[in-house]
Structure formats: structure tokens, C-alpha cells
Amino acid sequence: MKIIIFGAPGSGKGTQSFLLIKKKSFCKISPGELLRLELFNKGNLSSKITTFIKNGKLIDDDIIFSLISRYLNSENILFDGYPRNLNQALYLDDNNVKIDLIINITVSFSHIFKRMKYRMVSEKTYSVLDLLNNNVDCIRYKDNDTGFNFLKRIDDKYTIIDKRLNDYNIEIVNILSYYSRSGVFILNVDGNHDINSVYMFIEKNISEFYKKNE
Ligand code: AMP
């Protein structure tokens, strides 16, 4: 089974995919996480990609393809943050990766801005720490369980969020209409609710989809 999870930055897509792979045995392909890992490890590409990520710009398709290609043979894949444009969708077709199901999370702008202002991401595991309810706004937070830091993402800044949202809203229309024309089932999810309710809705619908398509 090959699934794509779509959602604007701050929609909770990363959190939901984290929960899904914990429950089901998916290989998660998230170029954003692979890129942050590259930065964390100070890999060859790090200086090139830092500027792009900091400014909320998409990385060249060729770099993304080279990062994800080794995972495409997996039987069960959850794509998170991919494809970001039509060319990336076509790359999957060219590599015989047929998408079965799309999860499309939509969230209101006000929720997104609030969530991104208060979220932090583990520098190593990429789990998200939500400081919204604690009313704490800091740039570094140590996780005593793992010893790793939770950091503000370099692209979670007000002006950059605005750009990332605009770019997302333009591209997603083309990508969804491409998959809709190809007959892929699109599960629309209202992401304005709490994490658990959103997860239960997605989980229930994926299970039903599995049953129907076994
Ligand atoms: P994300 O973690 O998915 O929000 O991605 C963070 C940043 O990584 C994006 O703003 C882009 O700069 C880059 N990125 C992530 N996924 C892609 C992709 N599929 N294509 C190009 N750039 C990407």
C-alpha cells in the first residue's frame, strides 16, 4: 500500500504520519526530515539546502529524487511532504510507484499560525513538541528522556510561514487534480480537531479502505 499524506505546513501532517507509522508498518518517506537529518549531520548538501529551507523555498527536484530513490522499492510507503509539485508526482509514476490512497488534511489559517508559533521539533527524532498549552516560548528545550534538544525549526518564522502556505496552496491544487483524474481515492480530513480525534478518523478510514481493496 502506498499512501500520500498532504497538509499545509502546521496542519499536523507530520504528527499524524508519526502516529500512523507507529501503528502500521510503513516506510515513511519525508524529504523534509531527510533534509533536516542532512543538516544535523552536516552532510555534503547542508550548505546548499540551508538557504533554501531558511527561506521557505523548495529544494531542486534532482536533490529530492536522489534522497528518496533508495526507499521507493518498499512495499508499504507513507509519503509525507512529497510530492510538492507535479514533476515529483510524475517521478513516482516513472518509477512504477502507484499511489493507492491520499490523505488530505485541511486546517484553518488561524490554527496553523498558532501551531507553528509554538511547535518545536526534536533535533534527532523529529517528534513535535507542542508548547501551546504551556504558554512557553523558547528556542531550545531539552528532552530529559532522550537527552536530545527540541528546537524551533529555522523555517517556522512568521514571514516564511506565509510564503510556505501560499506556495503550498498553489501547488496542491494541481497535484490533487492530477491524482483525482488518475482515479486515486482522496480522503479529506478536517484537521481543526485535536490530534487524537484526527488520528482516529484517519485510522478508521484507512482500515475501511484496506478492507474494500483487499
Ligand atoms: P517539511 O518538513 O515537509 O515542512 O519541509 C521543510 C522544507 O524542506 C520545505 O520548506 C522545503 O524547503 C524542503 N522540502 C521538503 N520536502 C520537499 C520536497 N518534496 N521538494 C522540495 N523541497 C522539499
Side-chain angles (χ1 to χ4, degrees), residues 122-139:
S122 164
E123 64 183 348
K124 189 67 183 169
T125 64
Y126 308 110
S127 54
V128 173
L129 176 68
D130 180 6
L131 297 177
L132 187 57
N133 297 320
N134 299 324
N135 203 17
V136 178
D137 197 5
C138 51
I139 55 160

Side-chain angles (χ1 to χ4, degrees), residues 31-32 35-36 57-59 64 81-82 84 88 153 164:
L35 290 163
R36 283 188 287 280
K57 287 189 185 153
L58 290 186
I59 312 294
I64 300 294
Y82 186 97
R84 288 286 234 276
Q88 294 187 3
R153 276 175 49 162
R164 288 165 64 204

Side-chain angles (χ1 to χ4, degrees), residues 42-184:
K42 300 190 171 43
N44 295 341
L45 295 171
S46 49
S47 62
K48 186 166 181 182
I49 58 185
T50 304
T51 328
F52 279 79
I53 294 187
K54 246 188 183 163
N55 294 305
K57 287 189 185 153
L58 290 186
I59 312 294
D60 296 347
D61 286 349
D62 285 345
I63 294 181
I64 300 294
F65 297 157
S66 72
L67 281 175
I68 68 163
S69 60
R70 78 195 80 158
Y71 304 106
L72 294 179
N73 288 331
S74 311
E75 197 177 329
N76 295 309
I77 305 179
L78 179 67
F79 290 96
D80 168 356
Y82 186 97
R84 288 286 234 276
N85 58 39
L86 212 47
N87 192 37
Q88 294 187 3
L90 296 174
Y91 178 78
L92 295 182
D93 295 351
D94 292 346
N95 285 277
N96 297 317
V97 179
K98 187 186 160 299
I99 301 302
D100 301 289
L101 169 69
I102 284 176
I103 301 167
N104 180 37
I105 305 180
T106 49
V107 180
S108 72
F109 270 18
S110 58
H111 265 89
I112 284 177
F113 277 106
K114 231 192 233 167
R115 284 181 187 174
M116 290 175 87
K117 184 167 178 217
Y118 289 103
R119 81 172 171 185
M120 297 184 122
V121 180
S122 164
E123 64 183 348
K124 189 67 183 169
T125 64
Y126 308 110
S127 54
V128 173
L129 176 68
D130 180 6
L131 297 177
L132 187 57
N133 297 320
N134 299 324
N135 203 17
V136 178
D137 197 5
C138 51
I139 55 160
R140 185 177 284 265
Y141 180 95
K142 179 115 170 162
D143 180 357
N144 290 328
D145 291 339
T146 63
F148 292 116
N149 291 310
F150 279 91
L151 305 172
K152 285 298 286 176
R153 276 175 49 162
I154 52 175
D155 50 352
D156 275 355
K157 297 200 181 100
Y158 188 83
T159 44
I160 304 301
I161 295 171
D162 205 30
K163 175 181 171 12
R164 288 165 64 204
L165 284 176
N166 278 329
D167 292 349
Y168 175 81
N169 287 332
I170 293 168
E171 290 295 345
I172 194 65
V173 176
N174 296 329
I175 301 172
L176 283 179
S177 94
Y178 171 73
Y179 281 116
S180 168
R181 281 198 310 274
S182 313
V184 178

